[in-house]
């Protein structure tokens, strides 16, 4: 390639070519550059490749380089790195396959015609080699990203599907990606490849930065693998490969979507699987999945609707209903008061309709219900009937019922303050029976108060149920701070770290946004008790936790089964003992508007909310 600038010491410099003012000459020079680059062995090749990477990231929809052969060039460079290890190890060529695969992924993420060009240019075979792990996990990450983009288009999916190993490799990568990154990068600082450290920190060095970025990239490696699998899951012919018990049982725990919002994560893939009759059978046969779906359905995050959808599909299918109904009904009954969840309107009505169909079809022996399940559904249907009756009642009668409920609630508050927790819970139940169904604000308080009683009575399942009902009734949905905190504590008692963590974070967010001067965080300071719980659960839900246990990076100490990792100040994770908790750990009850005395003093808040948790090693 001819030298363009007399000031540039490198003949054929790509950056000089890009400055060419004559469009025809510029186009011809770029075309020549892409054709010749893979066959050249000059030093400094990584510079134009990194420049192309920046361009692809900034302008992924620009067609100029697509027409001039960038995909053929990138595919050839990946092949060169795979076949010529001497060249790969020379200068900074080790970066080139990574950048090349990243460029392919960036240019194919939005435009189907670009994806068609990439497939015709032969990018799939070299990307598959990277997916196999022929280099390292860093190249696997960008390869699965690029293949995932190609799989999203109807015109290019068949080309991927013809490579049968792509699905199997993606499944294995989704299951092992966290362990791969932990054992190959995170665990041994002194063994880290320098170019990995450079890629992860982008000039912001330091072991801490590398570790944080490794967690983010590991999560992306998993979530992009799931996204690629999800493309296959829409095709029934691939479900038998995907629906292996050892893979399905791990899906609910794959939370890659926390890093990449566009990823379906494990719950999104489960929803795709449950959409097909062929997928519902294997899902219903995994007890652990149904339990996880119920927990996610009660959660207050973006995946709540996906989990509810899965449960409803499983209940509506006669071949799976009997397998899941006893576990699914308690969760769905708690959620029946949801009016709308995002764009999904009348979701609560849909839940009620499906449960009503279940009880109507119970005559079939296969779909017979347990007595407890039948009672829960009938109680829900009766409450809906009660709502209809109340619509025809005179307003005066409704006011009388509401006033009576208030009196009983105050009796419950008094019992609670005197230490009669069981009696208080009974009074709140009595008040709920009196309180009109349309008095949602009052019912939120009653459910939340009873949830606190159940916490102190060491009945976390009941506490979760009531807190969830309060959150469903609250306007806006899932944003009642006290119920979030009480459910976070209940999840903690059950050892459900991720669920507890999400609720605790949402609780902090609600406090920071509240207009209530007693509820809001003074000077944006996170309450000590909430901070301690968040830190504890972040540790328990640590991305690499299972890998660390397997590889000896985490061990258990003490009778309480606390989990201690390296480089951690254990004192940050202590929870209060019974002797540290004022007033037996009880907070004061009352309406959100006029009796929030538990929020008055931060030291008191710590005492009242810092409950001892039930912990177990590996929980």
């Amino acid at each position: 390639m001819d030298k363009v600038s007399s000031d540039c010491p490198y003949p054929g410099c790509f950056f000089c070519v890009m400055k060419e003012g004559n469009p025809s000459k510029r186009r011809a020079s770029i075309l020549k550059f892409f054709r010749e680059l893979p066959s050249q062995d000059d030093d400094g090749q990584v510079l134009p490749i990194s420049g192309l990477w920046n361009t692809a990231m900034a302008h992924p929809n620009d067609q100029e380089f697509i027409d001039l052969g960038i995909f053929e060039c990138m595919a050839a460079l990946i092949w060169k790195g795979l076949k010529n290890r001497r060249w790969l190890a020379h200068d900074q060529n080790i970066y080139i396959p990574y950048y090349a695969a990243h460029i392919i992924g960036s240019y194919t993420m939005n435009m189907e015609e670009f994806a068609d060009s990439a497939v015709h240019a032969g990018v799939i075979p070299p990307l598959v080699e990277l997916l196999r792990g022929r280099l390292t996990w860093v190249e696997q990450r960008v390869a699965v990203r690029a293949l995932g983009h190609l799989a999203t288009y109807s015109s290019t999916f068949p080309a991927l599907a013809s490579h049968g190993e792509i699905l199997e490799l993606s499944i294995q990568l989704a299951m092992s990606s966290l362990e791969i990154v932990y054992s190959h990068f995170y665990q041994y600082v002194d063994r880290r490849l320098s170019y990995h450290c450079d890629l992860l920190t982008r000039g912001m060095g330091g072991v801490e930065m590398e570790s944080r970025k490794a967690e983010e990239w590991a999560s992306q490696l998993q979530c992009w693998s799931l996204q690629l699998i999800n493309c296959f899951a829409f095709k029934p012919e691939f479900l038998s490969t995907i629906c292996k018990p050892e893979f399905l049982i791990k899906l609910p725990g794959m939370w890659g979507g926390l890093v990449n919002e566009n990823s379906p994560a494990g719950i999104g893939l489960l929803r795709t699987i449950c959409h097909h009759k062929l997928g519902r059978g294997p899902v219903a046969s995994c007890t652990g999945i149904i339990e996880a779906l119920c927990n996610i359905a009660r959660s207050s995050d973006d995946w709540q609707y996906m989990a509810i959808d899965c449960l409803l599909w499983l209940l509506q299918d006669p071949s799976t209903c009997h397998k899941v109904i006893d576990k699914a009904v308690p969760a769905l009954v708690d959620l029946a008061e949801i009016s709308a969840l995002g764009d999904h309107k009348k979701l609560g009505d849909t839940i009620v309709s499906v449960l009503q169909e279940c009880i109507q079809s119970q005559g079939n022996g296969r779909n017979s219900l347990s007595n407890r399940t039948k009672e829960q559904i009938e109680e829900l249907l009766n409450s809906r009937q009660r709502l209809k009756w109340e619509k025809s009642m005179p307003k005066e009668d409704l006011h009388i019922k509401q006033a009576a409920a208030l009196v009983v609630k105050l009796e419950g508050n008094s019992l609670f303050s005197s230490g009669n927790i069981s009696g208080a819970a009974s009074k709140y139940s009595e008040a709920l029976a009196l309180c009109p169904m349309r008095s949602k604000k009052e019912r939120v308080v009653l459910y939340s108060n009873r949830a606190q009683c159940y916490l102190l009575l060491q009945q976390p399942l009941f506490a979760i149920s009531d807190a969830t009902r309060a959150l469903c009734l609250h306007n806006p949905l899932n944003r009642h701070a006290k119920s979030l905190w009480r459910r976070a504590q209940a999840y903690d008692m059950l050892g459900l770290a991720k669920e507890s963590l999400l609720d605790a974070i949402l609780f902090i967010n609600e406090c920071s946004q509240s207009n209530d001067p007693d509820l809001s965080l003074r000077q944006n300071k996170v309450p000590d008790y909430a901070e301690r719980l968040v830190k504890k659960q972040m540790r328990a839900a640590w991305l690499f936790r299972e890998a660390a246990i397997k590889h000896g990076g985490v061990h258990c100490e003490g009778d309480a089964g606390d989990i201690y990792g390296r480089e951690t100040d254990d004192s940050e994770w202590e929870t209060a003992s019974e002797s540290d908790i004022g007033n037996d750990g009880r907070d004061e009850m009352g309406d959100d508007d006029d009796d929030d005395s538990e929020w008055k003093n931060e030291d008191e808040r710590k005492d009242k909310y810092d409950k001892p948790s039930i912990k177990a090693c590996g929980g």
Side-chain angles (χ1 to χ4, degrees):
M1 186 179 296
D2 295 332
K3 181 177 176 182
V4 174
S5 172
S6 59
D7 297 329
C8 181
Y10 300 106
C13 170
F14 177 75
F15 298 102
C16 292
V17 168
M18 294 298 294
K19 296 177 183 178
E20 171 61 59
N22 186 310
S24 179
K25 287 184 178 180
R26 180 176 183 272
R27 182 179 177 85
S29 296
I30 295 173
L31 179 64
K32 185 179 180 183
F33 177 83
F34 285 152
R35 286 178 178 173
E36 295 180 353
L37 182 62
S39 61
Q40 295 176 353
D41 292 323
D42 301 335
D43 290 350
Q45 286 183 314
V46 75
L47 291 176
I49 301 300
S50 64
L52 287 168
W53 170 77
N54 281 315
T55 301
M57 291 286 286
H59 308 287
N61 301 336
D62 191 328
Q63 191 163 349
E64 180 183 24
F65 291 164
I66 310 301
D67 295 337
L68 297 176
I70 192 171
F71 288 134
E72 289 85 352
C73 180
M74 296 303 107
L77 287 170
I78 295 173
W79 278 125
K80 186 173 183 178
L82 291 168
K83 296 178 179 179
N84 190 342
R85 294 306 174 100
R86 181 178 296 179
W87 171 83
L88 188 67
H90 179 68
D91 193 41
Q92 292 185 313
N93 295 339
I94 190 70
Y95 293 90
I96 290 179
Y98 169 85
Y99 282 129
H102 211 306
I103 288 167
I104 294 170
S106 294
Y107 275 123
T108 55
M109 65 181 173
N110 297 328
M111 309 292 286
E112 185 167 4
E113 56 267 36
F114 291 3
D116 286 331
S117 298
V119 170
H120 292 145
V123 302
I124 293 178
L127 289 175
V128 171
E129 291 302 309
L130 294 182
L131 187 66
R132 285 182 176 141
R134 286 279 301 278
L135 293 182
T136 72
W137 66 270
V138 166
E139 289 79 18
Q140 280 182 307
R141 170 180 167 271
V142 287
V144 76
R145 169 180 177 262
L147 290 168
H149 291 325
L150 293 172
T152 60
Y153 304 111
S154 58
S155 60
T156 52
F157 177 81
L160 270 82
S162 66
H163 293 262
E165 69 270 39
I166 289 180
L167 179 56
E168 291 280 6
L169 289 169
S170 301
I171 291 172
Q172 290 302 317
L173 194 56
M175 290 194 292
S176 62
S177 55
L178 304 185
E179 183 177 349
I180 290 171
V181 178
Y182 179 82
S183 60
H184 287 75
F185 184 88
Y186 193 97
Q187 187 175 20
Y188 302 109
V189 175
D190 56 345
R191 299 184 194 174
R192 293 177 179 174
L193 299 177
S194 59
Y195 88 98
H196 281 185
C197 296
D198 182 51
L199 285 172
L200 266 67
T201 58
R202 308 290 168 89
M204 297 177 289
V207 172
E208 183 180 357
M209 177 62 71
E210 292 165 4
S211 298
R212 288 180 181 176
K213 202 67 176 178
E215 292 187 41
E216 180 182 337
W217 281 28
S219 184
Q220 289 174 347
L221 179 58
Q222 184 178 74
C223 78
W224 285 335
S225 300
L226 291 170
Q227 192 159 330
L228 179 52
I229 299 166
N230 197 54
C231 295
F232 282 88
F234 281 103
K235 313 290 183 181
E237 61 267 30
F238 297 106
L239 287 176
S240 60
T241 302
I242 297 171
C243 292
K244 303 290 177 59
E246 60 271 20
F247 177 57
L248 289 180
I249 199 66
K250 291 186 176 183
L251 275 181
M254 295 185 184
W255 285 34
L258 290 178
V259 171
N260 184 350
E261 293 181 358
N262 294 323
S263 167
I267 182 61
L269 179 53
L270 277 172
R271 182 173 181 264
T272 303
I273 292 170
C274 288
H275 184 72
H276 297 282
K277 187 175 182 64
L278 290 174
R280 289 194 285 271
V283 169
S285 298
C286 295
T287 302
I289 291 182
I290 307 306
E291 293 176 352
L293 284 173
C294 290
N295 287 331
I296 297 171
R298 288 189 178 101
S299 67
S300 305
D301 58 45
D302 293 337
W303 300 327
Q304 184 176 14
Y305 175 75
M306 294 184 185
I308 293 173
D309 232 11
C310 289
L311 294 174
L312 293 179
W313 274 330
L314 291 167
L315 287 176
Q316 289 174 298
D317 188 333
S319 64
T320 57
C321 179
H322 65 287
K323 295 181 180 180
V324 305
I325 191 165
D326 286 335
K327 290 188 177 295
V329 164
L332 291 174
V333 167
D334 292 342
L335 298 164
E337 294 289 352
I338 293 178
S339 55
L341 184 58
D343 295 332
H344 310 288
K345 308 301 181 184
K346 298 185 178 180
L347 184 57
D349 292 341
T350 301
I351 291 172
V352 173
S353 297
V354 171
L355 294 181
Q356 188 170 22
E357 290 174 5
C358 290
I359 204 168
Q360 289 173 347
S361 63
Q362 60 142 348
N364 186 328
R366 293 182 63 194
N367 291 338
S368 58
L369 309 180
S370 68
N371 289 335
R372 177 56 185 153
T373 300
K374 186 177 180 181
E375 288 173 3
Q376 288 176 306
I377 297 176
E378 288 178 343
E379 181 182 345
L380 173 62
L381 297 178
N382 288 338
S383 69
R384 284 303 177 103
Q385 188 62 44
R386 176 180 157 191
L387 178 61
K388 293 180 180 179
W389 290 337
E390 287 178 355
K391 288 181 179 179
S392 60
M393 288 180 66
K395 289 184 179 181
E396 294 78 6
D397 291 349
L398 288 175
H399 290 156
I400 292 172
K401 288 172 64 70
Q402 190 165 347
L406 175 60
V407 170
V408 176
K409 186 198 80 168
L410 293 174
E411 292 175 358
N413 289 354
S414 178
L415 289 171
F416 185 90
S417 298
S418 67
N420 186 350
I421 309 302
S422 180
S426 296
K427 284 295 181 182
Y428 295 136
S429 298
E430 185 181 341
L432 281 165
L434 289 168
C435 188
M437 298 295 292
R438 297 178 67 178
S439 301
K440 291 186 177 183
K441 186 175 180 180
E442 290 77 7
R443 297 181 71 82
V444 167
V445 174
L446 290 168
Y447 276 125
S448 190
N449 284 2
R450 195 171 66 175
Q452 177 64 16
C453 293
Y454 287 138
L455 273 177
L456 296 172
L457 294 170
Q458 298 292 304
Q459 296 177 335
L461 290 176
F462 290 131
I464 290 169
S465 176
D466 274 359
T468 301
R469 294 185 182 202
L471 288 163
C472 290
L473 284 167
H474 190 260
N475 185 21
L477 179 72
N478 290 326
R479 288 177 55 183
H480 185 243
K482 290 182 183 179
S483 297
L484 286 168
W485 178 245
R486 288 159 185 168
R487 195 169 66 176
Q489 292 177 289
Y491 280 136
D492 180 43
M493 288 182 180
L494 295 174
L496 297 172
K498 290 180 180 177
E499 290 79 359
S500 177
L501 175 61
L502 285 176
D503 278 351
I505 291 173
L506 287 170
F507 163 72
I508 291 171
N509 290 342
E510 285 308 306
C511 290
S512 66
Q513 297 171 20
S514 175
N515 294 323
D516 187 334
D518 293 327
L519 186 61
S520 61
L521 303 183
R522 291 169 177 79
Q523 299 177 347
N524 295 320
K525 183 180 179 182
V526 176
D528 290 342
Y529 58 86
E531 182 179 10
R532 279 197 297 276
L533 184 61
V534 167
K535 286 182 177 179
K536 172 189 173 184
Q537 305 303 21
M538 285 182 69
R539 185 172 179 185
W542 181 42
L543 187 70
F544 293 130
R545 186 174 179 278
E546 289 187 14
I549 292 173
K550 183 175 180 179
H551 291 271
V554 171
H555 61 279
C556 300
E557 295 182 2
D559 296 334
D562 292 332
I563 297 171
Y564 299 98
R566 57 184 177 85
E567 301 177 0
T568 301
D569 179 4
D570 296 337
S571 63
E572 293 183 358
W573 307 99
E574 293 176 354
T575 52
S577 65
E578 288 289 352
S579 60
D580 295 327
I581 302 173
N583 199 28
D584 295 324
R586 290 178 280 116
D587 61 355
E588 299 174 37
M589 295 301 185
D591 292 337
D592 285 28
D593 288 341
D594 56 11
D595 189 6
D596 279 316
S597 53
E598 68 265 39
W599 306 97
K600 301 295 185 185
N601 180 281
E602 187 152 330
D603 291 333
E604 292 178 8
R605 288 187 300 206
K606 180 180 76 170
D607 289 341
K608 291 171 181 175
Y609 281 93
D610 206 4
K611 287 292 296 175
S613 57
I614 301 172
K615 295 173 285 187
C617 178

